[in-house]
Structure formats: structure tokens, C-alpha cells
């Protein structure tokens, strides 16, 4: 980030998309998606999960064990480990274990903005996402003609509704944190995240494939 101009960083912050510039759990989701699809096709589901665990451990080393990555990787390792040992994964317990390990290593991480935003966003998604989806899917339209059209739109744009629910549910928790820490909050994040999240997935996956090809 030292090569990025301050006004660009400020623009990203005001648009609510600063997480794109940070190494975050979002990137790990895309990386695991890529590794899973490749290794599952070659080795099968069980060995695929074991490979995922090794990739997540390596990724923590590569990124210098930043809090958001450690949180996402530990949760990913526990989820994949649960599959390998035929156990049910519990997201809340996995999140709690990752927080415990991070705080055992450095208790002052609790005051870190990275810790607060990473866990705040995750907590928001876990507890509010399903509720927001239900609200968006159950919006009532009285006019029969418009009701039919609206239902068609809802069913057609389910992926967009899902992305919107993730963004809104995370913002419920991290919004107040951003307001207190930075004295700034906007609503542009709703549009910018919908537009950029799919694009970021393509960029991250393309970058990972490029790295693999360059080694070959």
C-alpha cells in the first residue's frame, strides 16, 4: 500500500471498499474456491480438504499472519478439518477458536481496527444475513401486475440479493465501528460492493492462476 497515493486510499475509504485494498477473508474465499475445484477434480473430496488446509497454512505465512487472514484461515482450516474427520463444523465455535488463538498470541489485538472489522463483519453476516434475505424476498407488492413482475425479478436476481444481504449484514456491525474510529460513514458501499465483488473475484483468481503458471 505504500505505492498507493493517499487521495486514492481516501476515495476507496469514502466509497466503502477499503477491504479490497487489504488482504482479507474475501480473497481467501476465492483462493479456496480455485484450489477446491482443481484438487477435487484430481484427488477427490477428502484429499481436496487436506490440500486446502495446507494452502491456508501457507497463505498465512505468505501474508505475514495479518489478523483478518489468520481469522479466515483458522476458520477455513477447522471447516476442512471437520470434513476430513467426519465432524460437523460450527461456524460460531470456529470463529471463537480463531479469536482465542489470536488473542493468546497478542491480547492487544483486541484493540486493533483490523480485528474489530474482521470479526465485526463476520458476526454481522452470521447473525443477520438470513434475516435480511427473508426481508428482501418477502417485500409485498399489492398491485397484481407489479407483484408478478417483482417476484420474477426476485427469482432472477437471487445472486445479487445474496451479495446485497452479505454487504448489509456486515455493515450493521462494522458501520458503528467505522463511525467511531474514522468519524465517517456513507451509503455508497451498497452500490460499489455489488459492482466490484464479482470483478475482484475474477482478478484474484486470475492472479493466482498467473502465479501458478509462472512457477511452471
Amino acid at each position: 500500500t505504500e505505492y498507493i497515493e493517499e487521495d486514492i486510499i481516501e476515495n476507496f475509504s469514502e466509497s466503502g471498499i477499503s477491504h479490497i485494498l487489504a488482504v482479507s477473508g474475501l480473497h481467501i474465499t476465492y483462493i479456496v474456491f480455485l484450489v477446491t475445484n482443481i484438487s477435487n477434480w484430481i484427488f477427490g473430496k477428502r484429499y481436496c480438504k487436506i490440500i486446502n488446509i495446507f494452502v491456508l497454512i501457507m497463505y498465512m505465512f505468505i501474508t505475514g499472519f495479518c489478523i483478518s487472514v489468520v481469522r479466515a484461515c483458522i476458520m477455513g482450516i477447522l471447516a476442512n478439518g471437520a470434513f476430513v474427520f467426519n465432524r460437523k463444523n460450527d461456524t460460531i465455535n470456529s470463529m471463537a477458536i480463531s479469536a482465542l488463538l489470536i488473542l493468546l498470541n497478542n491480547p492487544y489485538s483486541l484493540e486493533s481496527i483490523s480485528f474489530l472489522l474482521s470479526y465485526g463483519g463476520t458476526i454481522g453476516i452470521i447473525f443477520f444475513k438470513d434475516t435480511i434475505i427473508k426481508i428482501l424476498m418477502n417485500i409485498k407488492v399489492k398491485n397484481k401486475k407489479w407483484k408478478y413482475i417483482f417476484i420474477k425479478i426476485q427469482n432472477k436476481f437471487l445472486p445479487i440479493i445474496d451479495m446485497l444481504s452479505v454487504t448489509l449484514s456486515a455493515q450493521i456491525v462494522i458501520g458503528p465501528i467505522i463511525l467511531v474510529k474514522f468519524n465517517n460513514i456513507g451509503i455508497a458501499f451498497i452500490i460499489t460492493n455489488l459492482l466490484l465483488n464479482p470483478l475482484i473475484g475474477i482478478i484474484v483468481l486470475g492472479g493466482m492462476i498467473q502465479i501458478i503458471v509462472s512457477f511452471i
Side-chain angles (χ1 to χ4, degrees):
T1 54
E2 64 187 66
Y3 297 105
I4 304 175
E5 296 176 9
E6 287 186 13
D7 59 334
I8 293 177
I9 293 176
E10 189 176 342
N11 289 337
F12 270 77
S13 178
E14 290 175 355
S15 301
I17 50 173
S18 295
H19 61 283
I20 288 172
L21 296 177
V23 181
S24 64
L26 177 67
H27 298 158
I28 292 167
T29 302
Y30 294 129
I31 291 166
V32 168
F33 172 80
L34 177 65
V35 174
T36 299
N37 277 275
I38 295 173
S39 58
N40 188 32
W41 178 62
I42 300 173
F43 302 106
K45 283 187 178 180
R46 191 176 182 83
Y47 287 107
C48 162
K49 301 299 181 183
I50 296 172
I51 292 169
N52 276 342
I53 291 171
F54 281 108
V55 169
L56 290 170
I57 293 170
M58 286 173 58
Y59 195 71
M60 284 193 288
F61 276 98
I62 291 169
T63 55
F65 292 92
C66 56
I67 291 173
S68 59
V69 170
V70 172
R71 190 271 309 162
C73 284
I74 291 174
M75 290 181 69
I77 289 167
L78 291 171
N80 284 281
F83 183 90
V84 172
F85 293 103
N86 297 314
R87 295 289 185 269
K88 185 179 179 181
N89 179 54
D90 188 293
T91 306
I92 296 174
N93 279 340
S94 297
M95 182 176 63
I97 290 168
S98 68
L100 179 63
L101 293 173
I102 289 171
L103 294 174
L104 282 173
N105 178 60
N106 181 11
Y108 292 102
S109 296
L110 188 61
E111 299 177 353
S112 164
I113 188 65
S114 177
F115 183 94
L116 294 174
L117 293 179
S118 182
Y119 281 94
T122 306
I123 289 168
I125 292 167
I126 291 171
F127 287 101
F128 300 116
K129 181 190 171 185
D130 290 342
T131 303
I132 292 173
I133 288 177
K134 285 179 182 177
I135 292 170
L136 294 174
M137 292 300 293
N138 291 313
I139 296 173
K140 303 296 182 184
V141 178
K142 291 183 179 179
N143 184 287
K144 288 185 178 181
K145 180 182 176 182
W146 285 106
K147 183 178 180 180
Y148 175 78
I149 295 171
F150 191 74
I151 291 171
K152 284 282 187 181
I153 291 171
Q154 282 179 324
N155 292 329
K156 189 174 182 179
F157 293 98
L158 276 176
I160 294 176
I161 291 174
D162 188 67
M163 279 194 293
L164 182 60
S165 65
V166 169
T167 301
L168 292 173
S169 57
Q171 201 69 24
I172 289 172
V173 180
I174 67 174
I177 298 171
I178 293 171
L179 187 61
V180 170
K181 291 288 184 179
F182 302 108
N183 299 315
N184 178 36
I185 191 168
I187 59 170
F189 69 89
I190 297 174
I191 298 171
T192 51
N193 277 279
L194 282 176
L195 293 173
L196 286 176
N197 279 344
L199 181 62
I200 293 303
I202 295 169
I203 292 171
V204 172
L205 291 176
M208 290 301 297
I209 292 170
Q210 183 183 356
I211 291 170
I212 294 168
V213 171
S214 67
F215 276 115
I216 296 172

